[in-house]
Amino acid sequence: MTVPTPPGAPIRVLIADDQEMVRTGFRFFLDAQPDITVVAEAADGEEAVALARRERPDVCLLDIRMPKLDGLEATRLLAGPEVTDPMRVVVVTTFDLDEYVYGALRGGACGFLLKDSGPALLAEAVRAAAAGDSLVSPSVTVRLLKHVTAPQVVAAAPVRPTAPPAEPLTDRELDVVRLVALGRTNAEIAAELYVSLSTVKTHLSSVQLKLSARNRVEIAAWAWQHGYGQPGG
């Protein structure tokens, strides 16, 4: 299993987008960060997968719509459930087709970012993914999960059956799940619940095991599907 990037080591990033202007803009900003370096660029999905497997970047930024191989399939090949050593993929999207985003979530993506979110959030998303988290702004997470768990989207997308948890979630675990669904980071969850960061991580590990979730994005999706995605819900 891939482990979080060691403290002090630069975060190695691959950028995959068929628009050269987007790649150039992302590279320009990310390379300007003291803790991030862009190690590869790809203009299509096939190239992205080949470069990612060769370079083993800490984070892959993948557009959804790319020639030869789209971002959904590239995500599945790099981070899907069949991958022995999955990579951390952040899908960067214009969010115009909900079923695409839902497919990316099921394909193993650990984060989502809107292309118009701005450079600061781009860097935050990269750092969070490298640390094993999936930091996106709450508005992005809430909007995403409201759409991808809507009945019409769920019916149109290939999904795994949502079986009941292996064990019931405790009240505290449900508190954590609700905050994950609202896009909170581990640190923010710890502050809101007045617990330590290690306690939050322990709860998340337990929840992930009980739900058979591959990542916190699937935990958030489960929360929205089962009515735990609203503040105080």
Side-chain angles (χ1 to χ4, degrees):
M1 176 178 288
T2 304
V3 297
T5 305
I11 301 169
R12 302 170 68 253
V13 176
L14 175 146
I15 300 170
D17 195 291
D18 62 337
Q19 297 183 50
E20 184 177 1
M21 185 176 296
V22 172
R23 298 196 309 273
T24 299
F26 283 5
R27 175 186 278 275
F28 178 81
F29 179 76
L30 293 176
D31 273 343
Q33 306 304 304
D35 57 336
I36 300 174
T37 182
V38 176
V39 296
E41 290 184 30
D44 61 69
E46 283 186 0
E47 186 182 17
V49 171
L51 284 173
R53 287 173 172 170
R54 187 181 76 198
E55 299 293 336
R56 298 297 303 182
D58 300 305
V59 179
C60 300
L61 295 177
L62 302 185
D63 186 21
I64 287 182
R65 292 178 171 176
M66 293 187 290
K68 296 186 179 179
L69 191 72
D70 66 30
L72 298 180
E73 182 64 13
T75 297
R76 188 187 66 78
L77 291 173
L78 296 175
E82 306 88 3
V83 179
T84 303
D85 189 10
M87 298 186 195
R88 298 186 187 96
V89 174
V90 175
V91 172
V92 185
T93 175
T94 55
F95 198 73
D96 54 356
L97 286 175
D98 301 333
E99 60 267 30
Y100 279 10
V101 185
Y102 193 84
L105 184 154
R106 288 302 181 191
C110 70
F112 295 89
L113 191 68
L114 303 184
K115 283 187 177 179
D116 60 0
S117 294
L121 187 59
L122 176 66
E124 287 182 32
V126 167
R127 293 185 181 108
D133 206 344
S134 44
L135 172 64
V136 292
S137 70
S139 61
V140 172
T141 301
V142 170
R143 181 181 173 188
L144 165 69
L145 292 170
K146 278 182 178 178
H147 280 69
V148 302
T149 58
Q152 66 271 23
V153 176
V154 173
V159 301
R160 299 182 304 169
T162 53
E167 297 178 40
L169 271 60
T170 66
D171 289 342
R172 189 49 114 188
E173 286 170 348
L174 286 173
D175 289 339
V176 171
V177 164
R178 289 186 186 98
L179 293 175
V180 168
L182 295 174
R184 304 293 196 271
T185 66
N186 287 355
E188 289 170 339
I189 293 172
E192 287 199 40
L193 298 181
Y194 301 100
V195 298
S196 68
L197 189 59
S198 62
T199 297
V200 172
K201 291 179 179 178
T202 298
H203 286 317
L204 281 174
S205 295
S206 176
V207 168
Q208 190 167 337
L209 183 64
K210 289 180 178 181
L211 298 181
S212 298
R214 291 190 293 266
N215 50 52
R216 70 189 289 125
V217 182
E218 286 199 351
I219 292 174
W222 179 91
W224 278 93
Q225 288 173 333
H226 292 83
Y228 297 109
Q230 298 293 341

